Amino acid sequence: MKIMRPLSAVGIVASAALVLAACGSDPAATNSSSSNSASAPAATGTADVECGGKSPLSAEGSSAQKNAIDIFTQQYSKKCSGQQVNYNPSGSGAGVKQFNANQIDFGGSDSPIKDADAAAAKTRCGSDAWNIPMVVGPIAIAYKLSGVDKLTLTPSVAAKIFSGGITKWNDPAIKAVKGNESLNLPDKPIQVVSRADESGTTDNFQKYLGAAAKADWTKGAGKKFNGGVGNGAQGSNGVATAVKASDGGITYVEGAFAKDGLTPALIDSGSGGVELNAANVAKSLDAAKFLKDGTNDLALDLNGIYASNTAGAYPLLLTTYEIVCSKYSNPDVAKAVKAFLTVAATDGQQPLSAKGYVPIPQSLQTKVLAAVKAIS
């Protein structure tokens, strides 16, 4: 078994430098019928904002949402002249740590804070910390394999690849997946690339494997990759760059990064291969529930989505959260955080489609705006 080791710094590029285009925009995508667009309507409207407060706000965390935060910041500056947000896409683990250490005004994470982190956040805030979902995006199982431009994977096969149970591209289990029968799969090693840093993307991906392929993924979840195989790279752009540089590579990465030499695999959860695109992701969001229903802590329970086999629904997605204090000790920080998040949840949503994200459904937008309004 090949043990995971960090890659060298070559090819690891700051994600902020990457200009991203929309993912999976082909209307003829597999299982992407017109009925998929009838999912929950996207967030709409313009922000009614009380501008002012601290500027610039400081924030850090998820690299998956860096391009979305750039859009939010642009819209925020238009709405509130002179107001700025400085965001460092250092990864979810770093964002939570910096937030809990009171080094930043809000954090960004690809999974909700809980347990010890939530307790530390409460100590830092002097009040409960809330998870505010603001950016939704698919996670791609992205690969580079010469001559193979349409590969379908089941959760079981994906789990075996990322835990070392399947090591060659011509493994009979891959060939047996419906849609792969006619593929010319080479006798070539599968080169797994995972996140070397702590990442909510890793956490969500491993939770997906645990929910959708319980018998084949026994490695658990968490922000560190537990598969024990392959190589590691820093950040979303790091893993994408590493796979692009190596024919036969595969990784898990936010959908917006699965382009320019990478191909997202279709996922077959039991109802046929489903392509990664916005309509198919939105169909999965229809089933989303909250871990703490009836509160302003809006952490989503995604396990039901991950284990679903709804026809035409792309189940592998993540939600990035802005981690905020429900009560800030500094009213200037509270005022600016509320203004920024209000703009992000309204004016900032529609432009996200051009960067490969999925605007939050209107039903979720209503809950988000109510939670933001309740911050003091």
Side-chain angles (χ1 to χ4, degrees), residues 52 103 142 208 222 255 289 325 337:
Q103 297 299 303
Y208 162 74
K289 297 180 181 179
C325 294
V337 167

Side-chain angles (χ1 to χ4, degrees), residues 153 156-166 169 174 190 192 229 250:
L153 297 176
S156 173
V157 167
K160 290 175 182 176
I161 289 172
F162 284 91
S163 62
I166 293 176
W169 280 107
I174 299 177
I190 298 174
V192 172
V229 295
I250 192 168

Side-chain angles (χ1 to χ4, degrees), residues 30-31 152 265-268 271-276 280 310-315:
T30 302
N31 281 337
T152 303
L266 280 67
I267 293 179
D268 185 351
S271 300
V274 180
E275 187 168 334
L276 185 161
N280 293 345
T310 303
Y314 186 87

